[in-house]
Amino acid sequence: MTKSEYITQKFREAIASGKWKVGEKIPSETQLCTLFNVSRMSVRSAISTLVAQGLLVSYRGRGTFVCDGDIDSQPTGLLTRQTQFSRTDMFEFRRIMEIESAALAAVRADDEAMRKLEYLTKMFQDASDSETSIEADLEFHYTIAKATKNAVIAETFDLLRTSYQRMFMENVRRRGAAGAAEHLQILLAIESRNPDLARQYMAEHLNKAMEESIETAFFNSDISVQAQVAEPVLLR
């Protein structure tokens, strides 16, 4: 169980037990980080998961509140099967969604999204530990999803946040901060309002991550991982 999954479980228990009551505002991110001794990334991921499940609702400037929902009747399909998704499945899904998302972001991103992408790119470049790298990586791609101004894209990313976090944890483990330079390329394409270039750089970014997954798998002679990552055809 990852830290995010552990925190998600604890949040659900707090709601189920009535410790967090319907309509009540939950503790702030800072308080939750201190209470559970985890990073903001883990707390945000857990909150996003429960928001997607309809157990919490977040309002900008007001905080996060417990919803009037039956915790025992929450869907068990996509949300609970995320830990079973292979890296191949996620890479293929990301190519379908994120390449066009980058192009849309180049057309629709507002100034606030641009500033956030710049901040996250620098955060990734300057990261001194893996946790910071993972957070910067995850939030960069999520910000692009939101910058599309397409609610379905943003909500889908949020719904799959657990899978994304697992993938970025593995990517950083395998690639280190190599993705930071690729993020900069994507950022510059979006800032220049060039959807074709943004689409190209995002495709290259995802392909490089996929290629290095394959190379690492064969280098480590991990047959099970080889079978998992070797099948997809990379976009050129």
Side-chain angles (χ1 to χ4, degrees), residues 29 82 86 94 97 109 121 131 135 165 175 177 213 219:
E29 285 186 5
Q82 289 193 56
S86 69
R94 291 184 65 195
M97 188 174 83
T121 299
E131 190 168 50
E135 180 176 1
Q165 185 177 15
R175 306 190 70 213
S213 290
F219 179 77

Side-chain angles (χ1 to χ4, degrees), residues 112-126:
E112 181 182 356
M114 295 290 195
R115 287 193 295 271
K116 184 70 177 292
L117 289 172
E118 290 173 358
Y119 169 78
L120 292 168
T121 299
K122 189 174 189 309
M123 179 179 173
F124 199 177
Q125 291 173 329
D126 298 342

Side-chain angles (χ1 to χ4, degrees), residues 5 8 12 19 37-38 42-43 49 69 79 83 86 89 93 114-115 125 132 138 143 149 157 160 164 173 187 232:
E5 291 167 342
T8 301
R12 287 176 66 88
K19 182 177 180 180
N37 192 29
V38 294
S42 296
V43 168
T49 297
L79 292 171
T83 57
S86 69
D89 289 342
F93 169 78
M114 295 290 195
R115 287 193 295 271
Q125 291 173 329
T132 302
L138 177 64
T143 301
K149 307 299 185 184
F157 192 109
L160 294 173
Y164 269 104
R173 185 184 72 81
L187 167 64

Side-chain angles (χ1 to χ4, degrees), residues 33 50-51 63 91 132 136 196:
C33 289
L50 295 184
V51 166
F91 269 122
T132 302
D196 291 333

